[in-house]
Amino acid sequence: MSEREVLLRTEGLTVRFPVKREKLFERRKYVHAVTEASIGIFKGEIFGLVGESGCGKSTFANATLGFIPPNEGKVYFCGELLDTKNKRSFRRQRMHMQKIFQDPSTSLSPRFTVEQAIAEPMIIRGGFTDAERRKRIGEMLSLIGLCESDMFRYVTEFSGGQKQRIAIARALIMHPDYIVCDEPVSALDVSVHAQILNLLKDLGERFGLTYLFISHNLAAVRKLCDRIAIMYLGHIVEYGDTAEIFAHPMHPYTKALISAVLTVDTEDNTGRMLLKGEIASPIDLPGGCVFSPRCPFACDKCRNYVCALTEIGDSHFAACPRALKGEIAL
Ligand SMILES: Nc1ncnc2c1ncn2[C@@H]1O[C@H](COP(=O)(O)OP(=O)(O)OP(=O)(O)O)[C@@H](O)[C@H]1O
Ligand SMILES: [Mg+2]
């Protein structure tokens, strides 16, 4: 890893959810949502997490926030273990973390005025007079493109894009360091996507924020994120610098995922890699490399051997034994 300061690090993070037994003495089964995910997110960067629906992105993000305690592995925030059992230290660490949800219509209470919605984290934390609170909220409203006087209107009076701006103001009002944005625009009208993403980027630069940004929109991820991780069936299969990964994907799954977007953009189908077969069940993970049943390059070794994420270039990691040995050209 390079010399940059790591804000959040996961080490072998593993989360599984028990599946309800159908018969009384049936062996307990688990949904393997995230398996041995080890990454580092640098201070001040926008780190993208991409992969098909159900691959474990939200579970991973929620585990980094301590919402879901991992079954195995660890999360370190500012170099300190995130220990959900130690209520005191966890509360202190959580004050520096926030999440922006997909749909502001459900994340914001319709009973609240804008002031009440944004003030809630300040009231929970305490230590502000009414005047201080109102001043800070007014300043935040102008930063997110609303007027100070909007403070007194109800959240329900605003459009979807404006509600997401209010949700962003609420998340940032206590000046956190680490923000998870889980599909922050996918519930909004497409006409406001770019505005909200630009707002997140601008506020990130202004406040020195570090984002974990989850999206299905690879074009947005490519534009916005400094580095990305690609997830397949709960496993991080590749991660590194965004431009480098888009230019030189090392894992066959990354290649398949991004070639679909690039060829749609250019209408050029040469170089497109189509995947055959269905994604396997996260309850019965395939042996060896989890991508091997769909990988056009898989050999017996891939089906029997789990390849750890390995550094292949300047902070570029991939988990494909054949790519690492230069046996396949993507
Ligand atoms: N609380 C839970 N209990 C049981 N299974 C869960 C729970 N939360 C998630 N899962 C399962 O874990 C796996 C990963 O889910 P997750 O929501 O993290 O995926 P995702 O990548 O965020 O998907 P999407 O892109 O659709 O939001 C899925 O198979 C999901 O069904
Ligand atoms: Mg999700």
Side-chain angles (χ1 to χ4, degrees):
M1 181 115 0
S2 73
E3 297 297 301
R4 286 184 64 184
E5 190 182 342
V6 175
L7 182 78
L8 188 130
R9 185 161 65 83
T10 66
E11 213 178 77
L13 189 71
T14 299
V15 179
R16 39 182 185 263
F17 299 106
V19 178
K20 208 164 165 248
R21 285 194 181 102
E22 281 176 9
K23 294 180 197 144
L24 192 56
F25 296 109
E26 198 179 41
R27 189 172 63 88
R28 170 67 81 194
K29 290 185 180 163
Y30 294 91
V31 174
H32 297 274
V34 177
T35 304
E36 296 201 7
S38 301
I39 59 161
I41 302 179
F42 294 140
K43 201 169 181 1
E45 77 171 339
I46 307 182
F47 190 95
L49 184 58
V50 298
E52 283 161 279
S53 183
C55 72
K57 302 180 295 295
S58 299
T59 305
F60 175 84
N62 288 334
T64 68
L65 293 167
F67 290 172
I68 303 176
N71 295 90
E72 281 146 43
K74 294 182 168 69
V75 178
Y76 293 91
F77 183 68
C78 296
E80 188 190 352
L81 180 70
L82 191 75
D83 180 3
T84 53
K85 291 196 192 101
N86 184 337
K87 296 272 174 271
R88 215 165 140 195
S89 74
F90 180 55
R91 191 164 178 267
R92 177 173 41 76
Q93 288 171 311
R94 276 286 295 132
M95 289 199 301
H96 301 280
M97 302 172 159
Q98 277 294 340
K99 181 169 179 180
I100 295 166
F101 294 84
Q102 185 172 353
D103 187 355
S105 301
T106 49
S107 69
L108 296 172
S109 169
R111 289 179 293 114
F112 279 172
T113 61
V114 172
E115 182 185 16
Q116 286 168 329
I118 302 177
E120 201 179 34
M122 300 180 81
I123 293 168
I124 293 170
R125 185 84 54 90
F128 296 92
T129 63
D130 287 355
E132 282 166 350
R133 213 166 47 225
R134 204 159 265 187
K135 181 166 177 287
R136 201 192 271 208
I137 293 172
E139 286 164 2
M140 185 56 86
L141 283 176
S142 52
L143 283 177
I144 57 146
L146 295 184
C147 309
E148 256 182 71
S149 56
D150 287 331
M151 207 183 301
F152 309 107
R153 294 169 62 196
Y154 277 89
V155 166
T156 44
E157 294 173 38
F158 291 85
S159 70
Q162 288 171 324
K163 278 189 197 136
Q164 194 60 313
R165 287 173 188 268
I166 297 164
I168 291 170
R170 178 186 160 97
L172 300 192
I173 196 73
M174 291 310 296
H175 300 171
D177 297 307
Y178 172 62
I179 321 263
V180 168
C181 301
D182 193 348
E183 304 269 5
V185 296
S186 60
L188 309 179
D189 190 280
V190 80
S191 62
V192 299
H193 285 194
Q195 292 167 20
I196 297 292
L197 295 178
N198 285 335
L199 177 67
L200 285 170
K201 190 169 168 54
D202 291 347
L203 292 172
E205 282 163 11
R206 184 180 185 103
F207 292 115
L209 304 173
T210 305
Y211 289 114
L212 175 60
F213 180 79
I214 298 175
S215 176
H216 284 116
N217 182 342
L218 279 191
V221 166
R222 187 181 194 185
K223 203 163 156 224
L224 202 66
C225 299
D226 301 293
R227 294 190 307 142
I228 51 169
I230 292 93
M231 209 171 199
Y232 185 81
L233 269 180
H235 293 66
I236 306 277
V237 295
E238 182 161 0
Y239 91 99
D241 179 75
T242 309
E244 161 71 10
I245 287 184
F246 272 84
H248 306 290
M250 287 298 287
H251 196 285
Y253 178 63
T254 312
K255 168 77 179 180
L257 197 67
I258 66 182
S259 73
V261 194
L262 297 184
T263 50
V264 166
D265 284 353
T266 59
E267 292 181 0
D268 171 11
N269 268 328
T270 52
R272 178 155 187 187
M273 192 172 130
L274 283 176
L275 286 182
K276 295 201 187 100
E278 291 293 313
I279 190 163
S281 160
I283 298 175
D284 295 306
L285 289 180
C289 167
V290 284
F291 185 57
S292 60
R294 296 174 84 190
C295 180
F297 304 101
C299 63
D300 281 348
K301 197 167 52 182
C302 305
R303 286 180 269 272
N304 295 313
Y305 165 74
V306 182
C307 179
L309 267 180
T310 309
E311 189 160 12
I312 46 167
D314 183 24
S315 293
H316 184 173
F317 294 77
C320 171
R322 303 207 67 197
L324 294 171
K325 288 196 171 153
E327 292 173 2
I328 56 173
L330 297 177

mmCIF file of all heavy atoms in Angstrom, residues 274-301:
data_model
loop_
_atom_site.group_PDB
_atom_site.id
_atom_site.type_symbol
_atom_site.label_atom_id
_atom_site.label_comp_id
_atom_site.label_asym_id
_atom_site.label_seq_id
_atom_site.Cartn_x
_atom_site.Cartn_y
_atom_site.Cartn_z
ATOM 1 N N LEU A 274 -18.871 -11.121 -22.915
ATOM 2 C CA LEU A 274 -20.190 -11.479 -22.399
ATOM 3 C C LEU A 274 -20.071 -12.654 -21.442
ATOM 4 O O LEU A 274 -19.344 -13.610 -21.714
ATOM 5 C CB LEU A 274 -21.109 -11.863 -23.559
ATOM 6 C CG LEU A 274 -21.676 -10.702 -24.375
ATOM 7 C CD1 LEU A 274 -22.474 -11.222 -25.541
ATOM 8 C CD2 LEU A 274 -22.524 -9.795 -23.497
ATOM 9 N N LEU A 275 -20.797 -12.557 -20.332
ATOM 10 C CA LEU A 275 -20.741 -13.647 -19.360
ATOM 11 C C LEU A 275 -21.847 -14.646 -19.626
ATOM 12 O O LEU A 275 -22.983 -14.261 -19.886
ATOM 13 C CB LEU A 275 -20.917 -13.096 -17.948
ATOM 14 C CG LEU A 275 -19.737 -12.353 -17.376
ATOM 15 C CD1 LEU A 275 -20.046 -11.920 -15.960
ATOM 16 C CD2 LEU A 275 -18.511 -13.245 -17.401
ATOM 17 N N LYS A 276 -21.495 -15.929 -19.533
ATOM 18 C CA LYS A 276 -22.525 -16.954 -19.676
ATOM 19 C C LYS A 276 -22.929 -17.433 -18.281
ATOM 20 O O LYS A 276 -22.173 -17.300 -17.326
ATOM 21 C CB LYS A 276 -21.955 -18.140 -20.449
ATOM 22 C CG LYS A 276 -21.589 -17.791 -21.886
ATOM 23 C CD LYS A 276 -21.539 -19.063 -22.736
ATOM 24 C CE LYS A 276 -21.008 -18.759 -24.115
ATOM 25 N NZ LYS A 276 -19.596 -19.109 -24.271
ATOM 26 N N GLY A 277 -24.127 -18.006 -18.202
ATOM 27 C CA GLY A 277 -24.567 -18.618 -16.945
ATOM 28 C C GLY A 277 -25.047 -17.598 -15.937
ATOM 29 O O GLY A 277 -24.890 -16.388 -16.107
ATOM 30 N N GLU A 278 -25.640 -18.128 -14.869
ATOM 31 C CA GLU A 278 -26.216 -17.289 -13.819
ATOM 32 C C GLU A 278 -25.225 -17.167 -12.674
ATOM 33 O O GLU A 278 -24.410 -18.067 -12.448
ATOM 34 C CB GLU A 278 -27.485 -17.971 -13.269
ATOM 35 C CG GLU A 278 -28.643 -18.000 -14.243
ATOM 36 C CD GLU A 278 -29.187 -16.618 -14.526
ATOM 37 O OE1 GLU A 278 -29.400 -15.869 -13.553
ATOM 38 O OE2 GLU A 278 -29.353 -16.271 -15.707
ATOM 39 N N ILE A 279 -25.357 -16.080 -11.954
ATOM 40 C CA ILE A 279 -24.547 -15.916 -10.750
ATOM 41 C C ILE A 279 -24.950 -17.025 -9.758
ATOM 42 O O ILE A 279 -26.131 -17.353 -9.643
ATOM 43 C CB ILE A 279 -24.766 -14.492 -10.181
ATOM 44 C CG1 ILE A 279 -23.777 -14.166 -9.091
ATOM 45 C CG2 ILE A 279 -26.180 -14.267 -9.712
ATOM 46 C CD1 ILE A 279 -23.683 -12.667 -8.794
ATOM 47 N N ALA A 280 -23.970 -17.636 -9.084
ATOM 48 C CA ALA A 280 -24.268 -18.751 -8.162
ATOM 49 C C ALA A 280 -24.989 -18.224 -6.920
ATOM 50 O O ALA A 280 -25.007 -17.014 -6.655
ATOM 51 C CB ALA A 280 -22.970 -19.437 -7.764
ATOM 52 N N SER A 281 -25.558 -19.140 -6.156
ATOM 53 C CA SER A 281 -26.253 -18.741 -4.935
ATOM 54 C C SER A 281 -25.238 -18.397 -3.849
ATOM 55 O O SER A 281 -24.256 -19.123 -3.654
ATOM 56 C CB SER A 281 -27.136 -19.897 -4.459
ATOM 57 O OG SER A 281 -27.425 -19.711 -3.093
ATOM 58 N N PRO A 282 -25.468 -17.292 -3.108
ATOM 59 C CA PRO A 282 -24.534 -16.984 -2.010
ATOM 60 C C PRO A 282 -24.677 -17.965 -0.845
ATOM 61 O O PRO A 282 -23.917 -17.899 0.119
ATOM 62 C CB PRO A 282 -24.940 -15.565 -1.609
ATOM 63 C CG PRO A 282 -26.338 -15.379 -2.078
ATOM 64 C CD PRO A 282 -26.542 -16.291 -3.250
ATOM 65 N N ILE A 283 -25.655 -18.883 -0.929
ATOM 66 C CA ILE A 283 -25.795 -19.904 0.129
ATOM 67 C C ILE A 283 -24.850 -21.080 -0.160
ATOM 68 O O ILE A 283 -24.216 -21.610 0.738
ATOM 69 C CB ILE A 283 -27.261 -20.381 0.234
ATOM 70 C CG1 ILE A 283 -28.144 -19.192 0.616
ATOM 71 C CG2 ILE A 283 -27.401 -21.515 1.262
ATOM 72 C CD1 ILE A 283 -29.622 -19.489 0.648
ATOM 73 N N ASP A 284 -24.755 -21.465 -1.434
ATOM 74 C CA ASP A 284 -23.832 -22.549 -1.810
ATOM 75 C C ASP A 284 -22.766 -21.977 -2.721
ATOM 76 O O ASP A 284 -22.885 -22.044 -3.942
ATOM 77 C CB ASP A 284 -24.591 -23.659 -2.554
ATOM 78 C CG ASP A 284 -25.602 -24.310 -1.645
ATOM 79 O OD1 ASP A 284 -25.193 -24.760 -0.568
ATOM 80 O OD2 ASP A 284 -26.795 -24.337 -2.003
ATOM 81 N N LEU A 285 -21.740 -21.396 -2.103
ATOM 82 C CA LEU A 285 -20.703 -20.758 -2.924
ATOM 83 C C LEU A 285 -19.929 -21.821 -3.702
ATOM 84 O O LEU A 285 -19.656 -22.909 -3.179
ATOM 85 C CB LEU A 285 -19.717 -20.002 -2.027
ATOM 86 C CG LEU A 285 -20.217 -18.733 -1.356
ATOM 87 C CD1 LEU A 285 -19.106 -18.113 -0.515
ATOM 88 C CD2 LEU A 285 -20.714 -17.719 -2.376
ATOM 89 N N PRO A 286 -19.565 -21.506 -4.957
ATOM 90 C CA PRO A 286 -18.752 -22.456 -5.715
ATOM 91 C C PRO A 286 -17.389 -22.644 -5.043
ATOM 92 O O PRO A 286 -16.898 -21.733 -4.372
ATOM 93 C CB PRO A 286 -18.578 -21.774 -7.077
ATOM 94 C CG PRO A 286 -19.493 -20.613 -7.089
ATOM 95 C CD PRO A 286 -19.837 -20.269 -5.683
ATOM 96 N N GLY A 287 -16.791 -23.813 -5.227
ATOM 97 C CA GLY A 287 -15.458 -24.056 -4.662
ATOM 98 C C GLY A 287 -14.410 -23.276 -5.451
ATOM 99 O O GLY A 287 -14.661 -22.848 -6.573
ATOM 100 N N GLY A 288 -13.245 -23.086 -4.858
ATOM 101 C CA GLY A 288 -12.170 -22.354 -5.531
ATOM 102 C C GLY A 288 -12.558 -20.908 -5.739
ATOM 103 O O GLY A 288 -13.216 -20.303 -4.892
ATOM 104 N N CYS A 289 -12.178 -20.365 -6.889
ATOM 105 C CA CYS A 289 -12.550 -18.978 -7.209
ATOM 106 C C CYS A 289 -14.053 -18.934 -7.449
ATOM 107 O O CYS A 289 -14.577 -19.690 -8.269
ATOM 108 C CB CYS A 289 -11.795 -18.534 -8.461
ATOM 109 S SG CYS A 289 -12.447 -16.996 -9.142
ATOM 110 N N VAL A 290 -14.759 -18.028 -6.742
ATOM 111 C CA VAL A 290 -16.232 -18.002 -6.846
ATOM 112 C C VAL A 290 -16.710 -17.636 -8.246
ATOM 113 O O VAL A 290 -17.842 -17.896 -8.619
ATOM 114 C CB VAL A 290 -16.891 -17.045 -5.819
ATOM 115 C CG1 VAL A 290 -16.895 -17.646 -4.436
ATOM 116 C CG2 VAL A 290 -16.249 -15.671 -5.839
ATOM 117 N N PHE A 291 -15.835 -17.004 -9.019
ATOM 118 C CA PHE A 291 -16.222 -16.614 -10.378
ATOM 119 C C PHE A 291 -15.964 -17.752 -11.383
ATOM 120 O O PHE A 291 -16.415 -17.681 -12.529
ATOM 121 C CB PHE A 291 -15.446 -15.344 -10.779
ATOM 122 C CG PHE A 291 -15.843 -14.787 -12.110
ATOM 123 C CD1 PHE A 291 -17.156 -14.430 -12.374
ATOM 124 C CD2 PHE A 291 -14.899 -14.622 -13.118
ATOM 125 C CE1 PHE A 291 -17.529 -13.910 -13.614
ATOM 126 C CE2 PHE A 291 -15.262 -14.106 -14.353
ATOM 127 C CZ PHE A 291 -16.580 -13.742 -14.601
ATOM 128 N N SER A 292 -15.266 -18.795 -10.959
ATOM 129 C CA SER A 292 -14.814 -19.820 -11.922
ATOM 130 C C SER A 292 -15.940 -20.465 -12.751
ATOM 131 O O SER A 292 -15.744 -20.711 -13.944
ATOM 132 C CB SER A 292 -13.958 -20.883 -11.232
ATOM 133 O OG SER A 292 -14.691 -21.519 -10.218
ATOM 134 N N PRO A 293 -17.173 -20.693 -12.187
ATOM 135 C CA PRO A 293 -18.193 -21.327 -13.036
ATOM 136 C C PRO A 293 -18.591 -20.474 -14.244
ATOM 137 O O PRO A 293 -19.101 -20.997 -15.219
ATOM 138 C CB PRO A 293 -19.388 -21.502 -12.081
ATOM 139 C CG PRO A 293 -18.811 -21.477 -10.717
ATOM 140 C CD PRO A 293 -17.631 -20.558 -10.792
ATOM 141 N N ARG A 294 -18.368 -19.163 -14.170
ATOM 142 C CA ARG A 294 -18.747 -18.295 -15.305
ATOM 143 C C ARG A 294 -17.539 -17.751 -16.061
ATOM 144 O O ARG A 294 -17.688 -17.004 -17.012
ATOM 145 C CB ARG A 294 -19.569 -17.098 -14.789
ATOM 146 C CG ARG A 294 -20.884 -17.492 -14.178
ATOM 147 C CD ARG A 294 -21.547 -16.286 -13.569
ATOM 148 N NE ARG A 294 -22.290 -15.510 -14.536
ATOM 149 C CZ ARG A 294 -22.808 -14.303 -14.278
ATOM 150 N NH1 ARG A 294 -22.635 -13.751 -13.102
ATOM 151 N NH2 ARG A 294 -23.488 -13.655 -15.194
ATOM 152 N N CYS A 295 -16.359 -18.110 -15.610
ATOM 153 C CA CYS A 295 -15.167 -17.488 -16.188
ATOM 154 C C CYS A 295 -14.720 -18.240 -17.442
ATOM 155 O O CYS A 295 -14.467 -19.449 -17.384
ATOM 156 C CB CYS A 295 -14.042 -17.479 -15.155
ATOM 157 S SG CYS A 295 -12.536 -16.739 -15.788
ATOM 158 N N PRO A 296 -14.607 -17.538 -18.559
ATOM 159 C CA PRO A 296 -14.191 -18.227 -19.794
ATOM 160 C C PRO A 296 -12.742 -18.723 -19.741
ATOM 161 O O PRO A 296 -12.336 -19.532 -20.567
ATOM 162 C CB PRO A 296 -14.358 -17.148 -20.873
ATOM 163 C CG PRO A 296 -14.418 -15.846 -20.156
ATOM 164 C CD PRO A 296 -14.896 -16.113 -18.772
ATOM 165 N N PHE A 297 -11.977 -18.252 -18.757
ATOM 166 C CA PHE A 297 -10.559 -18.641 -18.679
ATOM 167 C C PHE A 297 -10.296 -19.669 -17.575
ATOM 168 O O PHE A 297 -9.152 -20.026 -17.327
ATOM 169 C CB PHE A 297 -9.686 -17.404 -18.388
ATOM 170 C CG PHE A 297 -9.873 -16.305 -19.388
ATOM 171 C CD1 PHE A 297 -10.672 -15.209 -19.092
ATOM 172 C CD2 PHE A 297 -9.263 -16.369 -20.629
ATOM 173 C CE1 PHE A 297 -10.856 -14.193 -20.012
ATOM 174 C CE2 PHE A 297 -9.440 -15.361 -21.563
ATOM 175 C CZ PHE A 297 -10.246 -14.267 -21.258
ATOM 176 N N ALA A 298 -11.373 -20.111 -16.888
ATOM 177 C CA ALA A 298 -11.155 -20.960 -15.703
ATOM 178 C C ALA A 298 -10.534 -22.300 -16.079
ATOM 179 O O ALA A 298 -10.895 -22.913 -17.079
ATOM 180 C CB ALA A 298 -12.474 -21.173 -14.973
ATOM 181 N N CYS A 299 -9.596 -22.740 -15.271
ATOM 182 C CA CYS A 299 -8.999 -24.070 -15.441
ATOM 183 C C CYS A 299 -9.201 -24.825 -14.116
ATOM 184 O O CYS A 299 -9.768 -24.278 -13.164
ATOM 185 C CB CYS A 299 -7.521 -23.950 -15.787
ATOM 186 S SG CYS A 299 -6.568 -23.178 -14.481
ATOM 187 N N ASP A 300 -8.731 -26.047 -14.047
ATOM 188 C CA ASP A 300 -8.949 -26.858 -12.837
ATOM 189 C C ASP A 300 -8.411 -26.168 -11.584
ATOM 190 O O ASP A 300 -9.020 -26.231 -10.520
ATOM 191 C CB ASP A 300 -8.274 -28.221 -12.985
ATOM 192 C CG ASP A 300 -9.135 -29.123 -13.851
ATOM 193 O OD1 ASP A 300 -10.302 -28.738 -14.109
ATOM 194 O OD2 ASP A 300 -8.646 -30.176 -14.276
ATOM 195 N N LYS A 301 -7.277 -25.511 -11.765
ATOM 196 C CA LYS A 301 -6.656 -24.820 -10.628
ATOM 197 C C LYS A 301 -7.636 -23.787 -10.033
ATOM 198 O O LYS A 301 -7.786 -23.674 -8.825
ATOM 199 C CB LYS A 301 -5.404 -24.108 -11.143
ATOM 200 C CG LYS A 301 -4.447 -23.694 -10.079
ATOM 201 C CD LYS A 301 -3.099 -23.288 -10.660
ATOM 202 C CE LYS A 301 -3.232 -22.258 -11.778
ATOM 203 N NZ LYS A 301 -1.975 -21.868 -12.404
#
